[in-house]
Amino acid sequence: MKAYPILLSLLFAVTACSENEQQFTVQAPDFALAGTPVYADIETGSLEDGAVVCLQSGGQSIPGQVEAVSNSTQRIWWIAGQAAGSEAVYALSSDERCDAASFSWGQPVEDATVLSLGDQPVIRYEHPVFDSGDIEGTKKPFHQVYAPGGNRLITKGTGGLFPHHRGIYFGYNHVYVDERQIDIWHARNGERSEHFEVVKEFEGPVMGGHIVTIHWKDHDGEPFLEETREIRVFRQPRGESLIDLQTTLHAIDKPVSLGGDRQHAGVQFRAAQYTADNDELTKFIRPAGLSHLAADEEIDGDDMMDLTWNAMHFNVDGNFYTTAYLTHPDNPEGAEMSERLYGRFGEFIPHELTADNPLQLKYRFWIKEGDQPAIDDIELRYAPYANPVRVQTTN
């Protein structure tokens, strides 16, 4: 497990009386919470999956969102923002409705589906049906990202420099099954990753997203890996986006070796083609221990192993954005970070897959519009993601 020097303790004290009387107490650590997704689990009652509830705190009402996590447990999500060391008490009122713009999925068009917050698009899931006559255009599903609060895509789709790089995507160039190599990164010869089904969609005022199943297929179109990919987008302050990705790869019937190198494998983020055309504007922001490295140079090697986070400051259509790539400490060790000034970065983790040894990866993308954030700003977003939230329930 990756080490991290700051320990976060978010304490949720849940008083379980009737649903209308439940209270949740959040004790902030010694730094502020800023647009931080939090939740408390309660026993399943009359609330429906996806229901909107109201949480009252300090004389204000904020929306909460219900997620059914099992037959006996429901999860209440909301967004916390409070000063360092402060305590906030939230009272749940399922009888009152908090009106707020909600995340919702639109109708699929042209092999894609868009998640919007109110009337603003936030992500676009590209899921083309594979066509052997158009391998380049149909060889992988991926998620495009819109500028916070705007209609501009800040990630790249098909075409442009290195067209196999697309939005937020996942693949390996050296995949071995029975000593046969399959390239799910470039996917030029019929091998591909292909959308199979939508398992669940999330919609509401706090977060939106989905869980999808993706099949990794060999040159003959036979699936050998099944991927479960989960995306959640959380409500954020103006000019920011927060996207969680969790993916799990399962071997279907044979062991699979996932290999390659940091430039051609892993979960990666690729900015729009405009960034590649103006790469002199790109800078990298790294943790304090690496801040001596040149921000306008691509760094490889031992310095870039098992990073807690990395960030890229880039330009799209004359506007600056920063994407912070936050790595969850539960991810396997041995991660190699890759940087490219043309707008791609992410990490590669080799893995040996068997029926009893799946690969699970978790990442969070914090996206900010405008000026380059300080290292401390990114650390504040990393801390509540990297450290598990401790929940205490009292009756």
Side-chain angles (χ1 to χ4, degrees):
M1 179 179 292
K2 298 184 176 91
Y4 188 72
I6 301 177
L7 295 179
L8 173 68
S9 174
L10 287 178
L11 178 62
F12 297 82
V14 182
T15 304
C17 304
S18 72
E19 286 175 351
N20 290 342
E21 297 174 348
Q22 288 178 325
Q23 293 184 338
F24 312 103
T25 301
V26 180
Q27 180 66 52
D30 58 355
F31 49 85
L33 302 181
T36 304
V38 295
Y39 66 81
D41 288 343
I42 63 174
E43 292 184 1
T44 296
S46 60
L47 300 176
E48 297 181 358
D49 187 21
V52 178
V53 295
C54 203
L55 293 161
Q56 297 186 0
S57 180
Q60 295 184 332
S61 296
I62 63 169
Q65 184 173 332
V66 179
E67 178 187 0
V69 294
S70 72
N71 290 334
S72 60
T73 304
Q74 292 178 317
R75 182 163 292 171
I76 310 294
W77 286 94
W78 69 98
I79 302 298
Q82 57 194 80
S86 66
E87 180 179 277
V89 178
Y90 298 85
L92 172 64
S93 174
S94 58
D95 295 332
E96 181 182 356
R97 184 177 181 85
C98 282
D99 292 327
S102 287
F103 291 95
S104 62
W105 286 98
Q107 293 297 317
V109 292
E110 299 179 356
D111 297 329
T113 313
V114 175
L115 177 70
S116 298
L117 176 58
D119 60 359
Q120 295 293 322
V122 289
I123 59 170
R124 178 183 176 99
Y125 178 49
E126 306 275 358
H127 48 86
V129 177
F130 180 73
D131 180 357
S132 60
D134 180 20
I135 289 177
E136 188 59 39
T138 62
K139 63 187 181 182
K140 64 178 68 178
F142 60 100
H143 287 83
Q144 294 260 45
V145 180
Y146 289 87
N151 294 316
R152 175 189 297 111
L153 284 170
I154 61 171
T155 52
K156 192 182 81 64
T158 56
L161 179 69
F162 304 128
H164 49 276
H165 300 163
R166 301 173 190 178
I168 296 174
Y169 64 106
F170 182 34
Y172 284 82
N173 65 329
H174 288 178
V175 181
Y176 292 95
V177 183
D178 289 337
E179 300 183 353
R180 178 177 52 156
Q181 182 179 338
I182 303 170
D183 185 349
I184 301 292
W185 184 263
H186 302 94
R188 298 187 178 109
N189 300 300
E191 71 276 55
R192 71 266 192 185
S193 54
E194 191 171 13
H195 171 77
F196 179 68
E197 67 176 349
V198 176
V199 178
K200 184 174 182 178
E201 291 184 336
F202 305 105
E203 296 181 317
V206 179
M207 62 94 177
H210 59 197
I211 301 172
V212 297
T213 301
I214 297 167
H215 286 164
W216 292 31
K217 297 184 176 182
D218 63 19
H219 303 89
D220 300 319
E222 294 297 321
F224 62 93
L225 290 178
E226 182 171 276
E227 178 188 357
T228 302
R229 189 178 303 182
E230 179 176 325
I231 290 278
R232 295 175 187 251
V233 185
F234 293 94
R235 190 182 203 94
Q236 287 295 286
R238 184 178 179 84
E240 300 179 19
S241 296
L242 194 69
I243 303 170
D244 279 6
L245 179 149
Q246 178 173 306
T247 184
T248 305
L249 275 178
H250 292 273
I252 291 178
D253 56 9
K254 295 180 179 180
V256 178
S257 178
L258 299 174
D261 60 81
R262 70 180 74 206
Q263 312 301 345
H264 303 97
V267 173
Q268 304 268 339
F269 177 95
R270 175 66 194 271
Q273 179 63 33
Y274 185 95
T275 304
D277 296 337
N278 299 272
D279 61 359
E280 73 281 0
L281 300 175
T282 303
K283 301 290 186 294
F284 288 100
I285 312 163
R286 308 178 186 100
L290 300 175
S291 60
H292 63 285
L293 300 174
D296 59 353
E297 293 184 9
E298 303 161 349
I299 307 299
D300 291 326
D302 292 343
D303 283 334
M304 305 299 284
M305 295 287 294
D306 290 324
L307 299 190
T308 52
W309 59 265
N310 196 11
M312 181 173 69
H313 186 63
F314 57 98
N315 195 282
V316 177
D317 296 335
N319 297 277
F320 279 102
Y321 304 92
T322 299
T323 294
Y325 179 109
L326 313 180
T327 300
H328 198 280
D330 286 349
N331 290 348
E333 293 181 344
E336 304 176 27
M337 176 61 67
S338 169
E339 298 177 340
R340 286 295 179 262
L341 291 168
Y342 60 70
R344 177 187 59 77
F345 75 134
E347 64 181 23
F348 153 66
I349 303 176
H351 193 79
E352 299 299 319
L353 277 171
T354 65
D356 299 325
N357 188 36
L359 173 63
Q360 184 177 82
L361 300 173
K362 303 175 186 177
Y363 296 98
R364 172 169 286 178
F365 299 88
W366 176 56
I367 301 171
K368 176 184 177 297
E369 186 174 23
D371 294 340
Q372 178 175 310
I375 289 175
D376 287 348
D377 293 330
I378 301 173
E379 294 281 5
L380 282 175
R381 273 49 180 205
Y382 181 74
Y385 179 60
N387 295 271
V389 173
R390 293 184 295 181
V391 179
Q392 179 180 357
T393 303
T394 57
N395 293 322

